[in-house]
Amino acid sequence: LTLSAAAAEAVTVEVRTAEGTARAGADFRALAERVTFAPGETRKELRVALADNAQLEAAESFALLLSDVSGATLARGAATAT
């Protein structure tokens, strides 16, 4: 996650995954957490664990959804991971 500019106060945002063609539990581990940027901080790393299955599959996707932001304004509330 990236803030476009450092904030003087803490910024918080709720982040969660949402199924697309990839399924939580079978293809990736669902994520739901509150992320806090400290004052002056502009980047946070999120890791979504992917399933290591031996089955050959076509490309699949899931979404990362952002909500309930405090201390900033969302430029984009969702992104797709493939």
Side-chain angles (χ1 to χ4, degrees), residues 24-44:
D27 298 310
F28 68 94
R29 184 178 303 149
L31 174 84
E33 64 182 68
R34 185 160 197 70
V35 176
T36 301
F37 290 85
E41 195 171 32
T42 59
R43 294 179 61 90
K44 285 288 190 180

Side-chain angles (χ1 to χ4, degrees), residues 50-76:
L50 302 178
D52 184 17
N53 57 30
Q55 187 177 17
L56 183 60
E57 300 176 294
E60 296 177 306
S61 64
F62 62 91
L64 284 173
L65 304 177
L66 307 178
S67 63
D68 296 329
V69 67
S70 174
T73 301
L74 286 176
R76 198 169 88 189

Side-chain angles (χ1 to χ4, degrees), residues 6-22:
E9 303 290 327
V11 173
T12 58
V13 62
E14 294 288 333
V15 181
R16 68 178 178 88
T17 52
E19 293 182 343
T21 54

